């Protein structure tokens, strides 16, 4: 039986799961395999180049990245489970956005070159090297696993400027700490 992947609701700034450190994955279970399919499907459907498990309300150390699908029209998602950076070199500043921060874009300084190891969806150990958008996406999604946001990396003066937008996002958080985007 072929299962059709689901689109998962994106959690928005103010949701408590986004600020938590995600738990390591112990093994690939059928549930986790399905979740990875859903996470990947959601990333594409929401026009993202990366998506971390906490962004859909699951506090596990998993993220998916595919930085070329919009330009090359080919889908080649990469799955990162329990990732760890091995090398991070130089730095550069680029504009970033995030599905959990709709309509907010800011300049963020990150490492220009990274090397990362993780497990993939088959539980194989993989190592990737990245530059440019790929390196940015890896760092951005990894930060989500640690409860860190791209806005945490911008100057305080910029945070003051976008404070109203952030308050508006937070204001839609329910009393139980959940904030889901409905679009």
């Amino acid at each position: 039986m072929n299962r059709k992947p689901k689109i998962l609701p994106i959690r928005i700034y103010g949701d408590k799961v986004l600020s938590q450190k995600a738990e390591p994955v112990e093994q690939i279970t059928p549930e986790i395999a399905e979740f990875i399919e859903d996470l990947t499907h959601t990333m594409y459907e929401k026009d993202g180049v990366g998506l971390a498990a906490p962004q859909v309300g699951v506090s596990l150390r998993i993220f998916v990245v595919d930085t070329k699908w919009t330009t090359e029209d080919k889908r080649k998602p990469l799955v990162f489970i329990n990732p760890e950076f091995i090398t991070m070199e130089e730095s550069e500043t680029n504009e970033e956005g995030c599905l959990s921060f709709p309509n907010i874009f800011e300049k963020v300084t990150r490492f220009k070159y990274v090397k990362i190891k993780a497990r993939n969806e088959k539980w194989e150990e993989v190592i990737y090297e990245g530059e440019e958008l790929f390196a940015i996406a890896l760092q951005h999604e990894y930060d989500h696993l640690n409860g860190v946001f791209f806005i945490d990396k911008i100057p305080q003066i910029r945070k003051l400027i976008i404070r109203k937008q952030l308050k508006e996002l937070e204001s839609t958080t329910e009393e139980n700490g959940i904030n889901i985007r409905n679009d």
Side-chain angles (χ1 to χ4, degrees), residues 15-180:
D15 192 305
K16 66 180 179 183
V17 74
L18 292 172
S19 57
Q20 298 170 351
K21 185 170 179 161
E23 295 296 318
V25 176
E26 302 298 326
Q27 63 180 333
I28 300 289
T29 62
E31 296 79 17
I32 287 180
E34 284 185 4
F35 170 72
I36 290 169
E37 285 179 10
D38 295 342
L39 186 67
T40 304
H41 182 66
T42 303
M43 174 186 68
Y44 290 127
E45 290 299 312
K46 299 294 183 179
D47 292 330
V49 295
L51 189 62
Q55 290 182 271
V56 295
V58 178
S59 191
L60 288 175
R61 297 189 75 73
I62 301 172
F63 65 79
V64 293
V65 170
D66 186 350
T67 57
K68 295 182 179 174
W69 77 275
T70 56
T71 55
E72 295 180 5
D73 206 25
K74 292 179 190 161
R75 293 184 175 189
K76 292 182 185 171
L78 299 175
V79 176
F80 297 82
I81 302 169
N82 301 334
E84 295 175 39
F85 284 104
I86 300 168
T87 306
M88 303 171 98
E89 297 174 359
E90 299 184 47
S91 62
E92 65 181 356
T93 302
N94 293 285
E95 189 171 78
E96 286 186 35
C98 180
L99 294 173
S100 295
F101 290 80
N103 304 314
I104 295 177
F105 299 90
E106 290 293 328
K107 291 192 181 301
V108 177
T109 301
R110 294 198 183 268
F111 290 101
K112 190 174 184 175
Y113 166 84
V114 297
K115 189 175 193 179
I116 191 170
K117 75 174 181 177
R119 298 256 177 206
N120 66 14
E121 69 278 12
K122 297 174 186 163
W123 203 246
E124 301 162 333
E125 187 171 287
V126 292
I127 295 177
Y128 290 99
E129 295 179 70
E131 294 180 310
E132 300 172 349
L133 182 57
F134 186 52
I136 293 166
L138 292 173
Q139 293 169 82
H140 181 108
E141 301 310 329
Y142 181 86
D143 280 350
H144 276 298
L145 304 184
N146 294 312
V148 175
F149 308 123
F150 79 107
I151 62 160
D152 295 335
K153 298 181 178 291
I154 65 174
Q156 197 61 37
I157 190 77
R158 288 298 310 157
K159 276 191 199 167
L160 290 172
I161 291 168
I162 63 170
R163 184 175 54 193
K164 184 177 183 226
Q165 289 173 278
L166 295 174
K167 290 278 184 213
E168 286 172 8
L169 291 176
E170 281 182 306
S171 73
T172 58
T173 304
E174 298 174 359
E175 61 279 350
N176 58 2
I178 296 175
N179 191 350
I180 297 174

